[in-house]
Each structure stands twice: as structure tokens, then as C-alpha cells.
Amino acid sequence: MKRIKYITAALICISGLVSGGTYLAGKNQPEKSKEIAGQVKKEETSEKSATYILADVVHIEPGEIIESKHIDRKNPQRYFTVQKISDEIFETIRGKSYTENEQIGLDDLRYLKVLHYNYEHQIQVGELIVNKTIAEDCKNIFQELFAEEYEIHSIYLMDKFWVGNGVDSDTKSIENNNTSAFNYRVVPGTAHLSNHAKGRAIDLNPLQNPYVAYQSDGTFKQYYKDMEKYLDRNSGEAHMVTHEDTAYRIFTKYGFTWGGDWVNSKDYQHFEKK
């Protein structure tokens, strides 16, 4: 994991150097703010006594680790944001997770930045794209998961794992145990659009929560490596979603349904809201 680049983050310094001021250390900041931000960093390096709080994570790359002491515990909502799809994000997803279509447009989608605890229980920056009609719900869900210190392996856009098409890229994302949402693709083996194509579904910690399609003889299709280790949902393995799990409680509180309750197959990673 890369260490967080504080010079690109928004900081609130509560050290002896600056008291109570808010400074944006991004690329569009005023020159005075740049000077102050540099002084803050120098102060921390030389005296090891400065304590500063991140104002937001808008300019921080997904996957970056943030030390707990730099989180504003009284105002955690500042780290959970909903934005329209910017030109930069569009360039990331164009021709990959997003393709021109008649069902859903860019105006129907929203880009979220969130914080989560990873499997090492470090605080990590995540990103996802969802339908605008559930964006605020999703923001609140991930904020509540963070408050509960619920562990999520990673949260990246599907495009980080792109291998040429939506279905195979989804498999690649799963193999990396990535939590994801929007992906304009069909349901594997069908011609029907997935709810992920509409930005209305989230797959959570997929390695520990596999999709299971049982055959008539009781066997199941092996979609990815080691999934059989997580078929016994009463095993007590870490990061498995069950009816007693925190994620189940929080997602269903906001009106999402769980793929673990499906009858003909089980999709333990899958939460959706139509």
C-alpha cells in the first residue's frame, strides 16, 4: 500500500503552528495555502508533534491508507461524498464499465468516495459508481459500515480490473476480492442486463461471499478458485455475510435485498435496490 500523500490532501492543522485554520493543499489552492501546507508538513517532520486532520478525501487516490489519528471522528461525514461523473472519471470508464446505451446515461450515475477498513484493519480510501437514485443511501451505508469498523478488502471501480468485457472483468475483480457496483454488463449466460448495469447493485467482499448456482444433482459450478471454502455459511469464517452480519443489517435497513436469500441460486456478495 502506498502511504498517503499529504501534500495533495485537504488539511486542518491543529498544531501549535496554525490553530483552527482550514487549508486546501490541492493543485488549485492559493499560493498562501500552499506555503502554509508546506510549513505544516515541515513542522511534522522536524518536531513529530504536529497533528492534523484531513478535511476530505476528494483528491486522494483510491487505495491510499490513512492513519487513524488524521481522521475527524466528530465529523466523519466529510469523508463520504457523492459527485456527478466528472470528465476525468468519464475518461476512466469510457469504453469499459460504461458504454453508450439507451438504458442508462452518465446523468443517471454518481461517483462516490468513501472510507473503509481493509482486512488489515487499516483505514483505506474507496470509490464506486452507483445509480443517482440510491447514491445517498449508499453513502450512508458505507459511512455506517465505517463507523462499525466493518472490514472490506478493497473498493475500486471495475475499470481497474478491465480485461476487455464486462463479464470477464467482473470475474477478475472478484478474484481480487474487490467490492464493486456499476458495470454495464449482462447477467453471465443470459442476454439480460444485470442490475449492476443500472448501478443498482453492490457486490461485497466477493471471495468470502460467492455466487453459487447449484445443479440438479446437488453440485455447483466453480466460478472461481476456492469458493467451496465458503459454501458453509455457518462456518464462522471472517467476512462472510449472513443474516447476523453487520452489512446485512445496514444494507437491508436502507431497503436493499440480499442475494443470499435467493431461491434457485445464492449470491452472497450481492445487495441490490431496484
Side-chain angles (χ1 to χ4, degrees):
M1 295 291 180
K2 296 181 291 183
R3 300 293 297 176
I4 181 170
K5 302 173 184 176
Y6 294 112
I7 196 63
T8 63
L11 308 176
I12 297 176
C13 178
I14 54 174
S15 68
L17 178 64
V18 182
S19 178
T22 302
Y23 301 98
L24 179 63
K27 60 182 179 181
N28 296 320
Q29 63 182 350
E31 289 301 317
K32 185 62 177 176
S33 296
K34 289 183 180 179
E35 178 184 345
I36 294 172
Q39 291 173 348
V40 171
K41 188 175 181 181
K42 183 177 180 181
E43 174 83 356
E44 185 216 16
T45 302
S46 61
E47 298 186 9
K48 304 297 183 183
S49 61
T51 301
Y52 46 81
I53 301 300
L54 285 170
D56 58 55
V57 294
V58 172
H59 300 291
I60 300 179
E61 291 295 317
E64 293 281 5
I65 303 300
I66 299 175
E67 293 185 50
S68 179
K69 65 182 180 182
H70 301 307
I71 298 297
D72 184 354
R73 296 292 180 174
K74 293 182 179 179
N75 300 287
Q77 67 275 7
R78 67 172 64 216
Y79 308 119
F80 298 82
T81 62
V82 176
Q83 307 170 56
K84 291 184 177 181
I85 305 300
S86 66
D87 291 342
E88 181 181 3
I89 295 301
F90 178 56
E91 287 304 314
T92 298
I93 66 177
R94 182 170 63 173
K96 296 178 182 177
S97 66
Y98 181 83
T99 57
E100 295 295 331
N101 67 91
E102 297 180 356
Q103 285 75 33
I104 189 163
L106 291 177
D107 289 342
D108 299 315
L109 302 172
R110 293 293 183 267
Y111 175 76
L112 276 64
K113 270 282 184 72
V114 301
L115 289 183
H116 67 95
Y117 285 85
N118 64 23
Y119 280 11
E120 287 73 47
H121 213 67
Q122 301 166 311
I123 297 174
Q124 186 167 315
V125 179
E127 61 176 352
L128 65 159
I129 291 175
V130 299
N131 194 287
K132 67 180 181 181
T133 61
I134 64 170
E136 288 297 323
D137 284 344
C138 290
K139 182 186 74 172
N140 293 334
I141 286 168
F142 281 95
Q143 186 173 327
E144 291 191 28
L145 290 171
F146 180 74
E148 298 269 3
E149 300 191 13
Y150 189 88
E151 293 183 343
I152 302 172
H153 184 269
S154 67
I155 313 175
Y156 294 107
L157 299 185
M158 181 62 59
D159 311 85
K160 181 177 176 65
F161 306 96
W162 198 255
V163 293
N165 64 79
V167 173
D168 292 335
S169 299
D170 180 58
T171 299
K172 186 72 172 180
S173 176
I174 288 172
E175 289 172 347
N176 284 273
N177 208 12
N178 182 59
T179 292
S180 64
F182 174 73
N183 182 13
Y184 193 80
R185 64 172 176 84
V186 298
V187 176
T190 76
H192 304 298
L193 281 179
S194 164
N195 274 325
H196 289 283
K198 304 169 187 175
R200 293 184 174 276
I202 295 174
D203 287 342
L204 182 70
N205 291 336
L207 281 185
Q208 289 77 39
N209 299 285
Y211 171 75
V212 185
Y214 288 99
Q215 311 297 321
S216 58
D217 61 359
T219 60
F220 63 93
K221 184 175 180 179
Q222 185 95 22
Y223 286 100
Y224 43 88
K225 184 180 178 181
D226 295 335
M227 61 179 286
E228 67 276 4
K229 293 165 54 176
Y230 301 101
L231 296 184
D232 180 4
R233 306 308 290 179
N234 297 312
S235 67
E237 291 280 351
H239 309 116
M240 289 173 56
V241 178
T242 66
H243 286 118
E244 290 72 40
D245 186 63
T246 298
Y248 175 85
R249 172 173 55 81
I250 293 175
F251 270 96
T252 55
K253 168 185 170 182
Y254 285 89
F256 282 72
T257 58
W258 179 45
D261 288 327
W262 294 356
V263 176
N264 296 323
S265 61
K266 301 293 182 183
D267 198 354
Y268 296 112
Q269 65 198 254
H270 186 92
F271 289 95
E272 66 179 28
K273 186 174 183 179
K274 297 181 178 179

